[in-house]
Amino acid sequence: MTFREMRESDLPELGKLYAGAFNAAPWFDRWTEETAARRISDILHTPGAFGLVSEEDGVLTGMAVGCAEQYFDGVVFQLKELCVRCDLRRRGIGTALMTELEKHLRGMGIRSALLFTSEDDLPFYRIQGYHRVGGMVMLDKEL
């Protein structure tokens, strides 16, 4: 498995990967390849964006993407999306992506990484060393 920085030219294949991953269990979302590619494109065009892909024999197997943001005490990376092809789950690709991403972020001088996730995904991220932030809550309002 190899890793490289995400490129704009990856978007069509990333749209397929993302829609395939999140339309399956346990999320059962309703992404199209086009809306998924647009989501990733939106993130990639955000200031401070950085993304990695994993590949095997030239085929994308997973991705991680987010944005670096300045805070008063340093730069924090917010991981926006992480996914692995459904047929390749539970083979260590997600863990390898996280390890490689964190290595790149440290090299960029980023002091910490944060993310929002569902309760179902907590065990994976806890194994990666992430923990709940006390006093923080994610809120939503339909408009």
Side-chain angles (χ1 to χ4, degrees):
M1 179 173 12
T2 60
F3 301 95
R4 65 169 171 78
E5 195 166 335
M6 192 177 283
R7 299 185 291 245
E8 187 88 18
S9 61
D10 294 324
L11 286 172
E13 195 171 349
L14 288 169
K16 289 177 189 174
L17 173 77
Y18 187 94
F22 287 106
N23 289 348
W27 304 282
F28 300 108
D29 290 342
R30 294 179 307 274
W31 292 96
T32 65
E33 291 176 10
E34 293 77 22
T35 57
R38 174 70 190 270
R39 165 101 179 119
I40 299 161
S41 177
D42 287 350
I43 297 167
L44 278 178
H45 288 96
T46 302
F50 180 75
L52 282 179
V53 296
S54 58
E55 291 181 308
E56 209 165 284
D57 299 322
V59 177
L60 295 185
T61 58
M63 57 152 261
V65 64
C67 306
E69 300 175 326
Q70 182 67 53
Y71 280 80
F72 71 94
D73 57 350
V75 178
V76 173
F77 185 82
Q78 182 177 355
L79 180 63
K80 301 288 246 170
E81 299 295 349
L82 169 76
C83 66
V84 171
R85 257 183 36 196
C86 290
D87 60 328
L88 299 175
R89 287 184 186 160
R90 302 207 178 279
R91 295 187 186 179
I93 295 170
T95 295
L97 262 168
M98 291 297 289
T99 300
E100 191 70 17
L101 176 66
E102 291 168 5
K103 184 173 85 175
H104 276 80
L105 297 178
R106 279 190 295 278
M108 297 163 65
I110 294 175
R111 72 169 178 86
S112 67
L114 63 91
L115 58 92
F116 295 98
T117 193
S118 69
E119 293 283 336
D120 294 335
D121 298 328
L122 283 177
F124 171 79
Y125 289 111
R126 285 194 171 142
I127 289 169
Q128 305 307 313
Y130 287 76
H131 60 278
R132 288 185 185 261
V133 176
M136 299 298 289
V137 210
M138 184 175 172
L139 302 175
D140 181 34
K141 179 180 179 181
E142 290 290 324
L143 302 177

